[in-house]
């Protein structure tokens, strides 16, 4: 039983999980519900940190089952959290699958970008800026799914070349010999840095608009702000932070610190360039037609998301139907592959909502909210920003924003604060939950999606490495965001 428990994960990890499950019972009866709930949060974060040792669905899922068994939350309340976030779940299930069928087009476009832009600094800036712009009008998870698809595609190209006997650069040396060892590590580091730039870009753009992150929509609805007004209200804080984020990208690439700066090895660049030329030459009429269908689908996707004609998940489903119908993909087993990557993460997200329901039921954040509301009104926006940032980094920014905006709205309705102060606190809550939350994968669903994706083990992206690479961005975004909140919201 012990050998099969959590499969091939290390023995020490198995023993740690068993210890958690046993100790939590003693803690519940001896230390009480509040302490035990905080222990569960710490343990769940630990399972996320060990994502490369054991996928968190199993280890974190056992903790979630124990949470419900001990009565720290109920299945009904956990379901309520899932119900509140159904749009995010539908997005994951259908949009990620929709992007799967668009991979050939994405590879075609990005292979041209990779081979034409030689400067790593320019390439990194492009990734951050495009991710930010797309996230502002679409949403961070969709953009992250695109980034993951591109990176997995490029790793697939590398793997295909490395495992073949071909010599694409005509050097007389088999490519598998040139693309191994140190070259492979350089290539992994190159992809890792680009992806991290891109995912941080989704946070930089996501904070700016009403549709960038799920909590933005919630906050905008509570305040009665439309798309333009939301952007204008946030701009004095978000635009300087976006500029600072882009400058941070340049500095990180030029200094090569925090795991950034690795360039695409010249031998890899040359081989991939020649490989893409050969792919273009050998592309069949059927493949060319498929690229046209995917291009039309991409235009429809952008229009559908920008105009918000339906929930994001529905648009993703329409994307799947359109592409498969016109590309002739009609077998069930061909469709199944598209859903493989998103569904494990969807399961993990539901487990995460059980932990969120526990936080809500045990009122773990209430003391902090009540304390902040009792402080001097002039100091409150800054305090709310800090409290939101800290709590978002250890739990989930959507949940933290939901709890905080609900409490602040109640204070406004009761007459404890006026409309102007309500707006200031709403801006502080939005920026606080979006910016410092890049510190850990827990804070933002896009980061967690990347950490648990098929790409993470390919490029050696662990929880610790992600935290380390995000640290300079966390400091710049978090500190500048706080300074701007203190200056603007006086």
């Amino acid at each position: 039983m012990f050998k099969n428990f959590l499969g091939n994960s290390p023995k020490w990890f198995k023993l740690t999980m068993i210890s958690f499950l046993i100790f939590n019972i003693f803690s519940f009866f001896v230390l009480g519900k509040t302490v035990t709930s905080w222990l569960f949060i710490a343990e769940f974060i630990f399972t996320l940190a060990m994502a490369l040792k054991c996928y968190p669905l199993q280890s974190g899922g056992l903790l979630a089952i124990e949470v419900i068994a001990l009565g720290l939350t109920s299945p009904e309340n956990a379901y309520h959290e899932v119900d509140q976030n159904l749009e995010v779940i539908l997005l994951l299930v259908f949009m990620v699958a929709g992007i799967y069928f668009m991979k050939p087009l994405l590879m075609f476009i990005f292979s041209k970008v990779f081979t034409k832009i030689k400067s790593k600094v320019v390439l990194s800036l492009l990734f951050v800026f495009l991710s930010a712009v797309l996230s502002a009008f679409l949403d961070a998870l969709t953009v992250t799914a695109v980034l993951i698809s591109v990176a997995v595609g490029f790793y697939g190209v590398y793997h295909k070349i490395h495992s073949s006997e071909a010599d694409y650069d005509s050097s007389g040396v088999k490519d598998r010999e040139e693309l191994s060892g140190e070259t492979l590590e350089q290539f992994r580091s190159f992809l890792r840095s680009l992806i991290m730039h891109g995912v941080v870009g989704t946070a930089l753009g996501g904070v700016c608009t009403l549709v960038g992150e799920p909590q933005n929509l919630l906050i905008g609805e509570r305040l009665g702000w439309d798309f333009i007004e939301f952007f204008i209200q946030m701009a004095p804080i978000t635009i300087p932070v976006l500029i600072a984020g882009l400058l941070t990208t340049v500095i990180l690439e030029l200094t090569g610190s925090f795991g950034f700066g690795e360039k695409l090895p010249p031998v890899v660049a040359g081989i991939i360039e020649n490989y893409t030329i050969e792919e273009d030459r050998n592309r069949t009429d059927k493949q060319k037609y498929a690229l046209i269908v995917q291009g039309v689908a991409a235009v429809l996707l952008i229009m559908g998301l920008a105009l918000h004609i339906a929930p994001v998940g529905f648009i993703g489903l329409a994307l799947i139907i359109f592409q498969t119908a016109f590309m002739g993909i009609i077998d069930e087993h061909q469709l199944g592959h598209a859903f493989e990557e998103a569904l494990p993460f969807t399961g993990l997200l539901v487990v995460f909502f059980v932990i969120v329901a526990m936080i809500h039921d045990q009122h773990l954040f209430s003391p902090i909210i009540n304390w902040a509301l009792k402080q001097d009104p002039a100091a409150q926006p800054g305090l709310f920003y800090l409290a939101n940032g800290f709590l978002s980094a250890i739990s989930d920014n959507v949940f933290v924003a939901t709890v905080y905006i609900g409490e602040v709205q109640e204070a406004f309705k009761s007459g404890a604060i006026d409309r102007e102060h309500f707006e200031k606190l709403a801006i502080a809550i939005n920026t606080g939950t979006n910016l410092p939350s890049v510190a850990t994968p827990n804070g933002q669903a896009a980061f967690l999606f990347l950490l648990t994706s098929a790409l993470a083990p390919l490029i050696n992206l662990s929880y610790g490495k992600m935290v380390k690479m995000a640290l300079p961005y966390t400091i710049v975004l978090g500190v500048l965001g706080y300074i701007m909140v203190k200056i603007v919201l006086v």
Side-chain angles (χ1 to χ4, degrees):
M1 187 188 290
F2 184 78
K3 187 177 180 181
N4 283 298
F5 178 67
L6 299 181
N8 294 323
S9 56
K11 186 178 178 181
W12 64 266
F13 180 76
K14 297 182 183 187
L15 291 170
T16 303
M17 287 307 304
I18 292 168
S19 303
F20 284 166
L21 294 168
I22 295 170
F23 182 76
N24 290 338
I25 298 170
F26 287 102
S27 174
F28 179 78
F29 291 106
V30 177
L31 301 176
K33 290 184 176 182
T34 303
V35 173
T36 307
S37 298
W38 280 109
L39 280 174
F40 269 113
I41 292 173
E43 290 162 5
F44 188 71
I45 292 171
F46 171 78
T47 65
L48 297 177
M50 294 293 111
L52 296 185
K53 303 288 184 187
C54 172
Y55 192 73
L57 178 61
Q58 288 75 29
S59 49
L62 288 172
L63 293 173
I65 292 169
E66 191 174 36
V67 163
I68 291 175
L70 290 173
L72 294 173
T73 188
S74 66
E76 292 76 21
N77 290 352
Y79 179 78
H80 177 69
E81 292 297 334
V82 172
D83 189 34
Q84 293 279 88
N85 292 277
L86 185 60
E87 196 168 333
V88 177
I89 290 171
L90 288 176
L91 182 155
L92 274 170
V93 174
F94 295 124
M95 186 59 78
V96 175
I99 297 297
Y100 173 88
F101 291 109
M102 215 181 277
K103 274 185 182 179
L105 176 68
L106 294 171
M107 284 306 303
F108 176 77
I109 294 169
F110 277 89
S111 62
K112 303 300 180 190
V113 172
F114 267 58
T115 51
K116 301 299 180 192
I117 299 176
K118 306 297 182 184
S119 167
K120 175 70 185 304
V121 175
V122 175
L123 196 59
S124 300
L125 271 174
L126 188 67
F127 261 65
V128 176
F129 184 72
L130 284 179
S131 297
V133 171
L134 288 172
S135 295
F137 292 98
L138 310 181
D139 67 273
L141 275 171
T142 303
V143 177
T144 304
V146 171
L147 293 173
I148 290 170
S149 293
V150 169
V152 168
F154 263 95
Y155 195 89
V157 169
Y158 183 99
H159 183 72
K160 194 184 292 183
I161 298 170
H162 180 255
S163 59
S164 74
E165 288 292 332
D167 176 28
Y168 289 103
D169 59 350
S170 307
S171 62
V173 182
K174 291 287 188 289
D175 291 335
R176 67 193 311 165
E177 295 170 31
E178 294 186 89
L179 299 180
S180 57
E182 192 179 331
T183 311
L184 175 58
E185 288 310 311
Q186 281 183 312
F187 184 57
R188 280 174 168 163
S189 181
F190 169 80
L191 279 181
R192 193 164 58 234
S193 60
L194 276 185
I195 286 296
M196 281 302 295
H197 285 315
V199 178
V200 170
T202 65
L204 286 168
V207 67
C208 295
T209 65
L210 190 66
V211 296
E213 293 277 354
Q215 71 267 29
N216 299 17
L217 195 58
L218 177 76
I219 292 168
E221 283 176 356
R222 300 284 179 100
L223 274 293
W225 290 338
D226 59 19
F227 189 93
I228 301 297
E229 190 173 1
F230 187 96
F231 176 78
I232 292 169
Q233 291 280 4
M234 299 298 163
I237 298 167
T238 57
I239 299 303
V241 168
L242 174 61
I243 294 166
L246 293 170
L247 288 173
T248 305
T249 301
V250 175
I251 292 166
L252 287 172
E253 283 302 323
L254 291 176
T255 59
S257 51
F258 292 93
F260 293 97
E262 190 67 72
K263 294 175 175 60
L264 184 64
V267 62
V268 178
I271 291 172
I272 286 180
E273 191 168 348
N274 288 319
Y275 175 84
T276 53
I277 290 169
E278 187 163 318
E279 284 285 293
D280 290 346
R281 192 184 303 127
N282 297 331
R283 190 168 285 112
T284 63
D285 289 340
K286 184 179 179 181
Q287 289 171 326
K288 290 175 183 176
Y289 167 73
L291 286 178
I292 294 169
V293 172
Q294 291 159 31
V296 173
V299 173
L300 293 173
L301 168 66
I302 292 167
M303 287 171 60
L305 289 169
L307 298 173
H308 307 292
I309 59 173
V312 180
F314 283 14
I315 295 172
L317 181 56
L319 196 66
I320 295 169
I321 295 166
F322 176 82
Q323 290 182 103
T324 53
F326 283 93
M327 290 194 297
I329 300 170
I330 55 171
D331 294 329
E332 187 179 356
H333 75 273
Q334 286 179 288
L335 288 169
H337 296 300
F339 294 91
E340 286 175 1
E341 184 159 319
L343 285 179
F345 182 72
T346 307
L348 176 61
L349 205 59
V350 173
V351 166
F352 188 67
F353 289 139
V354 175
I355 304 299
V356 168
M358 176 197 73
I359 293 171
H360 188 78
D361 285 1
Q362 300 307 315
H363 309 289
L364 298 186
F365 296 166
S366 295
I368 303 171
I369 297 169
N370 294 333
W371 173 79
L373 281 172
K374 289 175 184 174
Q375 304 308 306
D376 176 32
Q380 282 182 19
L383 291 172
F384 267 75
Y385 178 91
L386 292 174
N388 276 265
F390 171 72
L391 294 174
S392 294
I394 63 169
S395 59
D396 166 59
N397 58 2
V398 178
F399 168 71
V400 174
T402 304
V403 173
Y404 267 72
I405 197 66
E407 294 285 343
V408 171
Q409 189 178 29
E410 287 302 314
F412 170 65
K413 285 179 178 177
S414 67
I417 58 175
D418 60 20
R419 172 72 189 189
E420 186 185 358
H421 194 59
F422 181 29
E423 290 184 354
K424 287 179 180 179
L425 292 183
I427 295 167
I429 291 167
N430 184 66
T431 51
T433 53
N434 275 300
L435 298 175
S437 58
V438 301
T440 70
N442 313 47
Q444 300 221 7
F447 278 57
L448 192 60
F449 184 37
L450 173 60
L451 180 68
T452 56
S453 70
L455 176 64
L458 296 180
I459 58 174
N460 291 339
L461 183 63
S462 63
Y463 188 99
K465 202 165 282 184
M466 188 179 268
V467 171
K468 177 192 170 186
M469 294 181 79
L471 182 62
Y473 281 112
T474 306
I475 294 168
V476 173
L477 272 56
V479 172
L480 182 60
Y482 178 72
I483 291 169
M484 295 310 296
V485 163
K486 294 291 285 183
I487 293 171
V488 174
L489 305 179
V490 291

